[in-house]
Amino acid sequence: SAFGFSGMDVEVACRYRLPITFVVINNNGIYRGVDSLPEAADGWRDIPPTCFTPSARYEKLIQAFGGKGFFVSTPSELRDALSESAREETMPCLINVMIRTDTPTPAIV
């Protein structure tokens, strides 16, 4: 949910050409999302309030403002995206990291 609150900061970073790398850990929701949006019996979507659009392409937002975006779902893709973004000196980057939605929520200690 944090990107939902501060996502437009990517516009400011692009406007000032700040070499920042934003990393979005995307599990399709707050706490945990779903892999697809369920349909209710009456045809309306029965969307849990903690779910976001599955596989939202947040990296496209920074691309709209001129930055570089990466969509990754494997450790090797993440490694490559981190390496490429570390070399970027004139524009911000955003790495949208898809993680599984079916893992247990960690306990708060």
Side-chain angles (χ1 to χ4, degrees), residues 29-109:
I30 302 169
Y31 306 118
R32 167 184 346 178
V34 294
D35 289 324
S36 62
L37 296 178
E39 294 283 340
D42 60 4
W44 289 93
R45 290 189 183 260
D46 187 19
I47 304 170
T50 59
C51 292
F52 296 148
T53 301
S55 301
R57 300 299 300 264
Y58 296 119
E59 77 284 358
K60 302 269 185 201
L61 182 62
I62 200 165
Q63 291 171 350
F65 297 113
K68 287 187 178 180
F70 304 90
F71 181 83
V72 305
S73 59
T74 66
S76 62
E77 291 173 342
L78 177 57
R79 192 175 310 109
D80 293 344
L82 286 167
S83 294
E84 188 172 337
S85 64
R87 291 189 298 272
E88 181 56 53
E89 297 179 359
T90 61
M91 288 304 287
C93 298
L94 186 145
I95 304 172
N96 183 7
V97 183
M98 286 303 307
I99 62 171
R100 292 174 44 186
T101 61
D102 61 348
T103 57
T105 303
I108 298 175
V109 289

Side-chain angles (χ1 to χ4, degrees), residues 18-39:
L18 302 173
I20 297 170
T21 297
F22 298 90
V23 178
V24 177
I25 306 300
N26 187 347
N27 70 348
N28 294 336
I30 302 169
Y31 306 118
R32 167 184 346 178
V34 294
D35 289 324
S36 62
L37 296 178
E39 294 283 340

